[in-house]
Amino acid sequence: MALIVSPAPPLGDWFAALDQQMLRSAGFFADKPIIANLSAAVGADEGPDEVLEALDARNLKVISIEGIDPGLLAGTRWERLPRLSRGQPTAHENRTDRPLAIPDDPSPAGATDRPACVDPAPSLLVDRPVRSGQSVIFEEGDITIIGSVASGAEIIAGGSIHIYGALRGRAIAGLRTGAAARIFCQKLVAELISIDGLYLAPEHWGEGFHGRPVQIRLDQGTIKLSTLD
């Protein structure tokens, strides 16, 4: 489940209230992805990067921002955070599709200036599971994971994401290719999925997809999940 926080001035009072809530419900925020809506914080004494640093200092895992121009974070460690907005899933669909096969010789990370009609797009192959707390970021193209993605881990791809195992963490696709990106996994138990800035958390897609092999794509601006078994 993703949590949305909206810091508001006076920020000192807002963070004091947050600290009290975290003391009362210590486990509520544990390992949960945080989306920070900073629209109300614009114009406050602290800059948006300082607000994000304050959230990070409280061990909150900020995975995305909303409500501000990303240029305000240029030059900070937060400038690569994706901007997400909630999407709505369409109805359940059973399909016979299977995840795309891994190329015999995938292009190395960073491959550029190759004719698109001859060579595949750049891709990154990770031949091991991704552990909790790890991030795999490849903005140039697709990411393929041979293994599972643990809770608390994140995969961020410029193109599509292929996971040959369970997806328990977060998968964010389409930073470069947009709506053409897809997410494939052998077992959907994710904390958050996103394509082209639209995101869904588990409570949005329902029990029909939980623990099953799934393809995730966009259809006319709506996130669509399809089972692959």
Side-chain angles (χ1 to χ4, degrees), residues 2-3 48 52 57 116 125 129 137 147 170-171 194 196 220:
L3 302 177
L52 293 172
L125 175 64
I137 303 173
R170 300 174 288 277
S194 171
D196 193 26
Q220 297 182 349

Side-chain angles (χ1 to χ4, degrees), residues 115-179:
C117 60
V118 176
D119 294 309
S123 61
L124 174 67
L125 175 64
V126 180
D127 60 354
R128 62 187 182 280
V130 181
R131 299 191 301 273
S132 179
Q134 292 184 322
S135 297
V136 178
I137 303 173
F138 184 66
E139 298 183 12
E140 287 77 13
D142 294 1
I143 298 177
T144 298
I145 307 293
I146 308 298
S148 296
V149 177
S151 177
E154 62 184 5
I155 311 298
I156 301 177
S160 297
I161 296 174
H162 312 263
I163 300 172
Y164 288 79
L167 170 57
R168 294 185 175 88
R170 300 174 288 277
I172 300 171
L175 267 64
R176 182 171 181 178
T177 61

Side-chain angles (χ1 to χ4, degrees), residues 188-212:
L188 179 64
V189 280
E191 299 167 353
L192 180 139
I193 54 175
S194 171
I195 298 177
D196 193 26
L198 296 176
Y199 76 89
L200 291 177
E203 62 268 25
H204 302 144
W205 62 70
E207 292 295 326
F209 298 102
H210 187 79
R212 301 183 68 179

Side-chain angles (χ1 to χ4, degrees), residues 207-222:
E207 292 295 326
F209 298 102
H210 187 79
R212 301 183 68 179
V214 167
Q215 172 188 191
I216 303 153
R217 59 191 176 91
L218 288 187
D219 182 7
Q220 297 182 349
T222 299

Side-chain angles (χ1 to χ4, degrees), residues 101-106:
I102 302 172
D104 292 334
D105 183 20

Side-chain angles (χ1 to χ4, degrees), residues 42-65:
V42 172
D45 292 339
E46 293 86 351
D49 58 322
E50 294 174 294
V51 176
L52 293 172
E53 292 290 351
L55 293 171
D56 184 67
R58 290 163 171 80
N59 294 319
L60 298 179
K61 178 64 175 178
V62 179
I63 65 162
S64 174
I65 58 167

Side-chain angles (χ1 to χ4, degrees), residues 36-99:
N37 187 321
L38 302 180
S39 58
V42 172
D45 292 339
E46 293 86 351
D49 58 322
E50 294 174 294
V51 176
L52 293 172
E53 292 290 351
L55 293 171
D56 184 67
R58 290 163 171 80
N59 294 319
L60 298 179
K61 178 64 175 178
V62 179
I63 65 162
S64 174
I65 58 167
E66 293 180 342
I68 64 167
D69 181 349
L72 295 175
L73 296 173
T76 74
R77 69 186 182 106
W78 306 101
E79 64 180 340
R80 296 177 67 185
L81 279 177
R83 298 184 69 192
L84 308 181
S85 58
R86 179 176 165 181
Q88 293 292 338
T90 57
H92 183 282
E93 209 179 83
N94 288 302
R95 299 172 61 90
T96 58
D97 306 53
R98 288 294 182 268

